Amino acid sequence: MTVVTVEAKHTFSANCYLAASSTGHCAVIDPGAEGEGIIAVLEDRGWTPGMILLTHGHFDHIGAVRTLQARYPGLPVYLHKNDLPFVTGDPNVLTPGMLLSAQRSGRSREDFLLSVDHFLTEGQTIVLDDLTFTVIETPGHTPGSVCFACGDDLFTGDTLFHHDVGRTDLYGGDAGALYQSIQKLSRLSRNYRIYPGHEEPSTFAEEQEFFKAFLEHRV
């Protein structure tokens, strides 16, 4: 698998990941609100997107979905059902800060309303050519947050960063659930490369001390 990061320049520097198979098909993971840049990378690489995988429903991770679907008709969207309020126009999830940031990136509220083709569940496998993505439910940052494991790579969204975790003070956040999710991830035996929703990548080996400190702090 080849992984390319496309960082949003105007939307909280969110990371979109293009995970490509050996045949040039790729999964688009968390396309933030700058679809034109993502399309430019796809075309430069000669890759064809086969699916959009969303780790959660926050606007800075979904804003390019409609742009991508306009360019690549029929591109299916995968999201956990517990994050549907974020993509269906529920007014409770649209804070002034989110709307302002969306406007600065040239997007309107309607750009963040999506149709979901497939709902994600724990242990579900999603196959794209020679790639298999396994869903790990990791609620806390949002009710429907998930991670995607593929080979030695783990796409963690805003659940786990380099030496940090996602915030839980937004709509649907749950600090207790996030603690349990980090505990769950810490028990995975593989030394995954971690591709987070923001900032730089890491590895499980690098995060062992952080796991220990975070989990001990919450006991």
Side-chain angles (χ1 to χ4, degrees):
M1 177 170 64
T2 302
V3 179
V4 171
T5 306
V6 185
E7 182 181 343
K9 297 178 180 178
H10 306 292
T11 319
F12 296 140
S13 298
N15 293 324
C16 168
Y17 296 105
L18 306 178
S21 73
S22 59
T23 62
H25 296 114
C26 72
V28 181
I29 303 172
D30 285 359
E34 296 170 30
E36 296 80 6
I38 297 170
I39 292 171
V41 174
L42 288 169
E43 293 183 347
D44 181 65
R45 292 265 177 169
W47 289 348
T48 302
M51 61 184 66
I52 296 174
L53 305 179
L54 302 176
T55 62
H56 62 295
H58 279 167
F59 81 100
D60 55 325
H61 294 260
I62 68 169
V65 168
R66 292 179 65 168
T67 301
L68 288 168
Q69 288 181 318
R71 176 65 178 82
Y72 306 99
L75 195 59
V77 174
Y78 292 74
L79 178 72
H80 197 284
K81 66 179 181 180
N82 289 350
D83 270 15
L84 271 179
F86 295 104
V87 302
T88 55
D90 187 327
N92 292 316
V93 309
L94 295 172
T95 66
M98 287 182 178
L99 291 175
L100 178 60
S101 183
Q103 291 168 359
R104 285 174 176 170
S105 66
R107 299 293 186 266
S108 67
R109 177 180 176 182
E110 287 68 31
D111 289 318
F112 301 94
L113 304 182
L114 309 177
S115 295
V116 177
D117 300 287
H118 303 282
F119 291 123
L120 301 168
T121 58
E122 173 70 24
Q124 176 184 356
T125 55
I126 305 164
V127 178
L128 177 66
D129 298 335
D130 53 337
L131 306 181
T132 299
F133 297 88
T134 301
V135 177
I136 304 172
E137 293 182 348
T138 53
H141 179 64
T142 65
S145 286
V146 303
C147 297
F148 297 107
C150 185
D152 291 325
D153 300 318
L154 186 69
F155 301 90
T156 58
D158 285 3
T159 294
L160 176 66
F161 305 125
H162 177 56
H163 296 348
D164 204 357
V165 297
R167 61 191 295 183
T168 57
D169 59 334
L170 300 174
Y171 174 87
D174 186 326
L178 182 61
Y179 175 87
Q180 293 178 353
S181 292
I182 297 301
Q183 188 175 57
K184 179 180 182 179
L185 292 179
S186 73
R187 292 171 176 164
L188 298 177
S189 58
R190 204 164 191 160
N191 183 25
Y192 285 106
R193 288 183 292 267
I194 298 169
Y195 291 98
H198 301 269
E199 301 178 349
E200 70 270 25
S202 185
T203 66
F204 261 47
E206 291 181 60
E207 298 306 318
Q208 289 307 305
E209 289 300 318
F210 170 73
F211 284 145
K212 181 179 179 181
F214 177 81
L215 295 172
E216 287 180 348
H217 178 71
R218 290 296 310 278
V219 171

